[in-house]
Amino acid sequence: MTLYETLADDIESQIQKGVYRHGDRLPSVRQTSQQRQISITTVIRAYLLLESRGLIVSRPQSGYFVNLREGDGPLQGHALSTSKPIAISATVDVSRLVLSTLRSISAGDAVPLGSPYPDPTAFPFEKLNRYAYAAGRDESLRGLKDALPPGHPKLIRQIARRYLEKGMTVDPADVIITVGATEAINLCLQAVAKPGDVIAVESPTFYAMLHAIERMGMKAIEVATHPEQGIDVAALAAIVESQPVAACMVMPNFQNPLGFQMPDARKRELVEFAAKADMPIIENGVYNELYYGSAYPSSLKSYDRNGLVLHCSSFSKTLTSAYRIGWALPGRYRDQVEKLKFLNTLTTASIPQLAIAEFLERDGYEHHLRRIRKAYAQQANLMKAMVSRFFPDGTGMSGPAGGYVLWVELPPKVNAMQLYELALERGITIGPGYMFSTSDSYRNFIRLNYSSPWSAEIEQAVITVGKLAATCAR
Amino acid sequence: MTLYETLADDIESQIQKGVYRHGDRLPSVRQTSQQRQISITTVIRAYLLLESRGLIVSRPQSGYFVNLREGDGPLQGHALSTSKPIAISATVDVSRLVLSTLRSISAGDAVPLGSPYPDPTAFPFEKLNRYAYAAGRDESLRGLKDALPPGHPKLIRQIARRYLEKGMTVDPADVIITVGATEAINLCLQAVAKPGDVIAVESPTFYAMLHAIERMGMKAIEVATHPEQGIDVAALAAIVESQPVAACMVMPNFQNPLGFQMPDARKRELVEFAAKADMPIIENGVYNELYYGSAYPSSLKSYDRNGLVLHCSSFSKTLTSAYRIGWALPGRYRDQVEKLKFLNTLTTASIPQLAIAEFLERDGYEHHLRRIRKAYAQQANLMKAMVSRFFPDGTGMSGPAGGYVLWVELPPKVNAMQLYELALERGITIGPGYMFSTSDSYRNFIRLNYSSPWSAEIEQAVITVGKLAATCAR
């Protein structure tokens, strides 16, 4: 227990004992700091933690107040509303902006609030590296011959086994190993659509999906998306009725950037619609393991009776992004995807495949996942509390059910690109909303990454971005 | 020195002393075996070695004869003539055949005469594996951020340095690291042409080039190609005059399957034509390091003054194919290729990049290359001698100047696919000519791989294929 956690627990128990009641004002940060002889930062962190637990709220210029009523809705920021994109298909050209943003994230030691990556220090890298070394001593892996698509049988078995444990039956023969989920999504898209075709996507949508569309010279059409329930199936159906749509790409669990988990009923509805419309769905499931709830979320794939769902995932968010190992379950498009894999990169390196297979077989993957899930869930609360406290009036935010990003709606006057530049000058990166759409719809939105272990530096960076946003909002 | 080498040296010295003269018949294999009390296999191998040295020739049903005259042309098999493909652009669909062939090569322990791979036992794998382990301990590599395109700066520097040492100036800023040469070729092709476009290729052409064309839904047009001088620039010019050609893909050094090295004058002529026609050339240079001659062969890229040559290569033929590390020098298309790399697979894994960079920096790559060049050159002679001796009359073959494959023209009656099936039943794979063309032009051709260290098993496999070919030729 750190000092601020001890303080938070102490205040929490006083609230629960009735020492402080609903509506009471807590002692100011300065008072508590002096009373208890601890630093101001520690008190702020304790208050933020209590705020994230929903026990207190902050009111600008007034201080912190006890807030015991349940169901009072989100913190300070308002909830987001369903997106209402204009249903026009558009050519896609977001990759240059994304690449330059990712570059600036990589450069030097900017605070990576704009990063799309998970916390690399959470990866079990020493173990994987030892397994890779052992695999590298295996002479049978020195050639390419065992690495031909679909991939190394040991890893394929482990992947199928994990799905089975989670309640989804996967035939190992249906798994194709790829160079990360990026390649899986590319291959699946190419298997179901051709250049010029229109692809339906969520709004906002994860730019990796837009990239695949851009790479193939296809067009994207954005579909209204509820911030907690996901893509609006009726809106999708209306679009499909009005024009040919070759496929739909979605991220039903912990969507980047919205963080929602589609309710099971809506997942089923989407898959049933796809069957009726005979339209393939490409499902990006890379965040599935990072749920905050009590159970592993269902995949669209598990409702699929027609082989129309092409499910893609990877180990890059949970075990290591350095190995570039992903996979596809392409349903009825299996053979095309396997052939395209062969054409695109010939094979996936087998040493990292075997290293991961060893880890899955031998080393408490579940235990590892529980640890990172818990950390990300806590950090989500901290990030929400910080934004709630330090961002200008009129700020809204998502309520992530998993993953490690928060989607923040800033007051309409804020231009996220300008904010991005201002933050960068101060050594902080953020993810501007432009990256998540083919239109201008998210010019006042930003994505904040909270995967890094919480630190004073991150706290200060969030405060700085909040202040800059307030300036831009004027 | 092995026993058969000692015997060969002994007979060679007798020839040089005049004990045997030009046209003399050597003692039969059986006689020599009895005289010297050594096995028949050893004698055959010694005779084959002498044949490969050009000192003796075999005449069917007559035995081995001393052959001291110089310039007597090739061994038994006739030289190949320039290909004369019909200049019709065709959609490409060879990948299924190639993949199933590669699968049969991988299955069990078939003798891999059909393999496209170099000898994996020649790879410095222990060292690379140790470097990979050390790189895996570097925390900065655990995330993705240092792995963004264009690739790891250390490896890029090493690649640029090597070109410089070979006399070609390469700006490190022009290098893009890829998942093997396969991805490099794909990205370069996508950067210069679009679906439906026509791409000029050699005839026969390496199927990896056809795969890239197939993946993008482009069309291939085959251009007449001389078996020792490469693509016929006049024939290419005639095609370009008659129809729009978006790009040309060639392998100027040690082309797979022909093995030629384009003379410098012809390389220059090709690049000058491309400049005049403003047509990009994709150059596949993966075999460049495997020359048998005295010097590193020039690349088309070294004659390029307009940034029109997109040069692709990899470490898969020289250091390890298991790491999947290649690169592109895309000339004026650099930015497009970098963007496409990002879209296609996001990043290339950085641990293997660093392991290779370490090896290049510290461990006598040149020495390693000299060793494999020498081995492949010797094995080329052995393979040519074996085909010359054991294949039916009317067999022709290439004269590889580098690499590790021999292209064999069988009598017209032989159907290479049938031969492939028959050989496979006997546990031997061969590369059927169908894989190297969009047409039926090479139905009586096969590609033989001689990268494996010579063995009695390989010898026996070549003899078996020769006998099967003779049966098919009847």
Side-chain angles (χ1 to χ4, degrees):
Chain A
M1 285 272 270
T2 60
L3 194 53
Y4 79 91
E5 287 172 320
T6 311
L7 174 60
D9 285 358
D10 187 27
I11 298 173
E12 178 170 351
S13 86
Q14 291 180 310
I15 292 172
Q16 275 156 359
K17 283 179 198 149
V19 179
Y20 297 113
R21 295 175 185 226
H22 178 71
D24 281 358
R25 186 173 175 281
L26 287 190
S28 75
V29 170
R30 189 170 302 271
Q31 284 172 327
T32 306
S33 159
Q34 284 168 352
Q35 277 169 13
R36 306 217 180 201
Q37 297 287 309
I38 50 186
S39 76
I40 288 193
T41 309
T42 303
V43 180
I44 291 177
R45 292 176 79 172
Y47 280 19
L48 285 170
L49 186 57
L50 289 167
E51 203 170 2
S52 77
R53 290 175 186 168
L55 291 167
I56 65 175
V57 291
S58 75
R59 293 190 198 132
Q61 271 84 46
S62 313
Y64 286 90
F65 292 82
V66 177
N67 176 42
L68 276 180
R69 279 188 303 214
E70 300 255 315
D72 269 350
L75 306 171
Q76 165 103 350
H78 65 79
L80 302 177
S81 51
T82 300
S83 63
K84 291 181 195 66
I86 305 156
I88 292 177
S89 64
T91 53
V92 180
D93 184 22
V94 297
S95 66
R96 272 182 212 283
L97 174 64
V98 176
L99 182 53
S100 80
T101 309
L102 295 184
R103 282 240 177 74
S104 68
I105 290 162
S106 310
D109 33 49
V111 186
L113 301 180
S115 164
Y117 308 128
D119 171 27
T121 65
F123 291 150
F125 219 85
E126 288 298 333
K127 269 188 182 160
L128 288 169
N129 200 35
R130 281 200 298 276
Y131 291 139
Y133 181 68
R137 297 175 63 94
D138 179 347
E139 291 194 11
S140 77
L141 297 180
R142 295 187 187 180
L144 271 184
K145 64 192 192 88
D146 293 321
L148 284 176
H152 202 287
K154 266 198 164 180
L155 182 61
I156 286 177
R157 261 199 312 279
Q158 289 297 325
I159 289 171
R161 185 183 61 74
R162 269 198 73 72
Y163 278 114
L164 198 66
E165 284 170 11
K166 302 295 182 187
M168 188 168 109
T169 309
V170 169
D171 184 341
D174 291 339
V175 182
I176 315 277
I177 304 292
T178 57
V179 179
T182 305
E183 188 184 40
I185 290 166
N186 273 307
L187 303 179
C188 287
L189 184 61
Q190 187 170 358
V192 301
K194 55 185 194 310
D197 279 357
V198 174
I199 311 298
V201 297
E202 294 148 329
S203 182
T205 188
F206 183 35
Y207 48 77
M209 318 287 245
L210 294 176
H211 287 170
I213 295 170
E214 178 179 344
R215 166 179 170 274
M216 285 304 298
M218 299 171 182
K219 287 175 178 173
I221 191 160
E222 295 181 31
V223 183
T225 299
H226 187 278
E228 278 155 25
Q229 312 233 323
I231 196 163
D232 183 328
V233 181
L236 174 64
I239 289 171
V240 169
E241 233 167 72
S242 73
Q243 63 182 293
V245 173
C248 176
M249 298 180 94
V250 291
M251 207 165 189
N253 296 314
F254 324 128
Q255 196 242 17
N256 188 332
L258 281 165
F260 59 73
Q261 175 178 343
M262 273 177 90
D264 287 354
R266 195 182 274 230
K267 284 176 182 162
R268 192 189 303 270
E269 189 194 354
L270 176 59
V271 174
E272 281 167 3
F273 169 73
K276 219 172 57 190
D278 198 34
M279 178 186 67
I281 299 183
I282 295 166
E283 172 179 38
N284 184 340
V286 293
Y287 299 108
N288 280 14
E289 299 278 15
L290 302 180
Y291 55 89
Y292 304 158
S294 53
Y296 185 84
S298 69
S299 295
L300 295 180
K301 186 81 190 161
S302 65
Y303 302 104
D304 179 28
R305 302 280 161 269
N306 303 283
L308 275 169
V309 175
L310 299 92
H311 177 96
C312 302
S313 195
S314 84
F315 293 108
S316 296
K317 311 301 181 225
T318 53
L319 274 183
T320 173
S321 47
Y323 283 7
R324 316 295 307 121
I325 301 294
W327 66 90
L329 308 174
R332 67 162 84 150
Y333 304 95
R334 186 210 170 279
D335 290 354
Q336 288 99 302
V337 169
E338 182 181 46
K339 186 179 101 166
L340 289 168
K341 161 66 195 173
F342 180 63
L343 295 182
N344 196 43
T345 48
L346 198 58
T347 69
T348 308
S350 38
I351 292 171
Q353 290 186 59
L354 263 178
I356 290 177
E358 281 295 299
F359 184 89
L360 295 181
E361 200 176 320
R362 295 163 51 172
D363 286 282
Y365 186 37
E366 273 308 337
H367 176 74
H368 162 73
L369 289 172
R370 268 197 299 276
R371 207 160 37 81
I372 56 177
R373 270 175 214 139
K374 194 176 155 204
Y376 287 165
Q378 283 175 346
Q379 287 155 212
N381 285 333
L382 284 165
M383 183 60 88
K384 282 190 291 185
M386 290 289 293
V387 170
S388 166
R389 171 123 178 73
F390 293 107
F391 273 51
D393 283 352
T395 294
M397 62 182 128
S398 59
Y404 47 76
V405 297
L406 186 70
W407 183 236
V408 179
E409 178 179 8
L410 298 165
K413 268 193 163 171
V414 180
N415 176 336
M417 279 309 296
Q418 189 200 352
L419 183 61
Y420 167 81
E421 299 292 345
L422 290 170
L424 202 56
E425 283 168 17
R426 285 154 184 83
I428 304 163
T429 65
I430 57 175
Y434 288 84
M435 303 198 292
F436 302 88
S437 173
T438 62
S439 74
D440 217 17
S441 316
Y442 302 103
R443 63 191 299 282
N444 60 320
F445 285 71
I446 60 171
R447 183 188 67 182
L448 297 178
N449 178 309
Y450 51 80
S451 70
S452 304
W454 204 255
S455 70
E457 189 191 31
I458 289 173
E459 222 162 85
Q460 197 46 58
V462 178
I463 293 169
T464 303
V465 174
K467 280 184 188 159
L468 291 171
T471 315
C472 295
R474 261 178 227 136
Chain B
M1 285 271 269
T2 61
L3 194 53
Y4 79 89
E5 287 173 319
T6 310
L7 175 59
D9 284 356
D10 187 26
I11 297 172
E12 179 171 349
S13 85
Q14 290 180 311
I15 293 172
Q16 274 155 0
K17 283 177 200 150
V19 178
Y20 297 113
R21 293 172 188 231
H22 178 71
D24 281 357
R25 186 173 177 280
L26 288 189
S28 75
V29 169
R30 188 170 303 274
Q31 282 170 331
T32 306
S33 158
Q34 284 167 352
Q35 276 168 14
R36 307 217 179 199
Q37 298 285 308
I38 51 184
S39 77
I40 286 191
T41 309
T42 304
V43 179
I44 290 176
R45 291 177 79 175
Y47 281 19
L48 286 170
L49 186 55
L50 288 167
E51 206 171 0
S52 78
R53 289 177 186 168
L55 292 167
I56 65 174
V57 290
S58 75
R59 293 192 197 130
Q61 272 82 47
S62 312
Y64 286 91
F65 293 81
V66 176
N67 176 40
L68 277 179
R69 278 186 304 213
E70 300 256 315
D72 270 352
L75 307 170
Q76 167 101 349
H78 64 78
L80 302 176
S81 50
T82 300
S83 63
K84 292 180 195 64
I86 305 157
I88 294 174
S89 65
T91 54
V92 181
D93 184 21
V94 297
S95 66
R96 270 182 213 285
L97 174 64
V98 176
L99 183 53
S100 80
T101 309
L102 295 185
R103 283 241 176 73
S104 67
I105 290 162
S106 309
D109 32 50
V111 186
L113 301 181
S115 165
Y117 306 128
D119 171 28
T121 65
F123 291 150
F125 219 84
E126 287 298 333
K127 270 188 181 157
L128 288 169
N129 199 37
R130 281 200 299 275
Y131 290 138
Y133 182 68
R137 296 175 64 93
D138 178 348
E139 291 194 12
S140 78
L141 297 179
R142 294 186 188 181
L144 271 186
K145 65 192 191 85
D146 293 320
L148 284 177
H152 202 288
K154 268 197 166 182
L155 181 61
I156 287 175
R157 259 198 314 278
Q158 289 297 326
I159 289 170
R161 187 183 59 76
R162 269 198 73 71
Y163 279 113
L164 198 65
E165 284 170 10
K166 302 295 183 186
M168 189 166 108
T169 309
V170 169
D171 184 341
D174 292 339
V175 182
I176 314 277
I177 304 291
T178 57
V179 180
T182 305
E183 189 183 40
I185 291 167
N186 273 306
L187 304 178
C188 287
L189 184 61
Q190 188 170 356
V192 301
K194 55 185 194 309
D197 278 356
V198 174
I199 311 298
V201 296
E202 295 149 329
S203 181
T205 188
F206 183 37
Y207 47 76
M209 317 285 245
L210 294 176
H211 287 169
I213 295 171
E214 178 178 343
R215 164 180 172 274
M216 285 303 299
M218 298 172 184
K219 287 175 178 174
I221 190 160
E222 296 182 29
V223 183
T225 299
H226 187 279
E228 278 155 24
Q229 311 234 321
I231 196 164
D232 183 330
V233 181
L236 174 63
I239 290 170
V240 168
E241 234 166 73
S242 74
Q243 63 182 293
V245 173
C248 176
M249 298 180 93
V250 290
M251 208 167 189
N253 296 313
F254 324 127
Q255 195 243 18
N256 188 334
L258 281 166
F260 60 73
Q261 176 178 342
M262 273 176 91
D264 287 354
R266 195 183 274 229
K267 284 176 182 160
R268 193 187 303 269
E269 190 194 354
L270 176 59
V271 174
E272 282 168 3
F273 169 72
K276 218 173 56 187
D278 198 34
M279 177 185 70
I281 299 183
I282 295 166
E283 172 179 37
N284 183 338
V286 292
Y287 299 109
N288 280 13
E289 299 278 14
L290 302 180
Y291 55 90
Y292 304 159
S294 53
Y296 185 84
S298 69
S299 295
L300 295 180
K301 186 82 188 160
S302 64
Y303 303 104
D304 179 29
R305 302 280 161 270
N306 303 282
L308 276 168
V309 175
L310 300 91
H311 177 95
C312 302
S313 194
S314 83
F315 292 107
S316 296
K317 311 301 182 224
T318 54
L319 272 183
T320 173
S321 47
Y323 282 7
R324 317 292 310 118
I325 301 294
W327 66 91
L329 308 174
R332 67 162 84 151
Y333 304 95
R334 187 211 170 278
D335 290 354
Q336 288 100 304
V337 169
E338 182 181 48
K339 185 179 102 167
L340 288 167
K341 161 67 196 175
F342 180 63
L343 295 182
N344 195 44
T345 48
L346 198 56
T347 70
T348 306
S350 38
I351 292 171
Q353 290 185 61
L354 263 178
I356 289 176
E358 281 296 300
F359 184 88
L360 295 182
E361 201 175 319
R362 294 163 52 170
D363 285 282
Y365 187 36
E366 274 308 334
H367 176 75
H368 162 73
L369 289 172
R370 268 197 298 278
R371 207 160 38 79
I372 55 178
R373 273 177 212 137
K374 194 177 155 202
Y376 288 165
Q378 284 174 348
Q379 286 154 212
N381 285 332
L382 283 165
M383 184 59 88
K384 282 190 290 183
M386 292 289 294
V387 169
S388 167
R389 170 126 180 72
F390 293 109
F391 273 52
D393 283 352
T395 295
M397 63 182 126
S398 59
Y404 48 75
V405 297
L406 186 69
W407 183 235
V408 179
E409 178 180 8
L410 298 164
K413 267 191 163 172
V414 179
N415 176 337
M417 279 310 295
Q418 188 199 353
L419 183 60
Y420 168 80
E421 298 292 345
L422 290 170
L424 202 55
E425 283 169 16
R426 285 156 184 82
I428 304 163
T429 64
I430 57 175
Y434 288 86
M435 301 196 295
F436 301 88
S437 173
T438 62
S439 74
D440 217 17
S441 316
Y442 301 102
R443 63 191 301 282
N444 59 321
F445 285 70
I446 60 172
R447 184 189 66 184
L448 297 178
N449 178 308
Y450 53 79
S451 71
S452 304
W454 204 254
S455 69
E457 190 190 30
I458 289 173
E459 222 162 85
Q460 196 48 57
V462 178
I463 293 169
T464 302
V465 174
K467 280 185 187 157
L468 291 171
T471 315
C472 295
R474 262 177 225 136

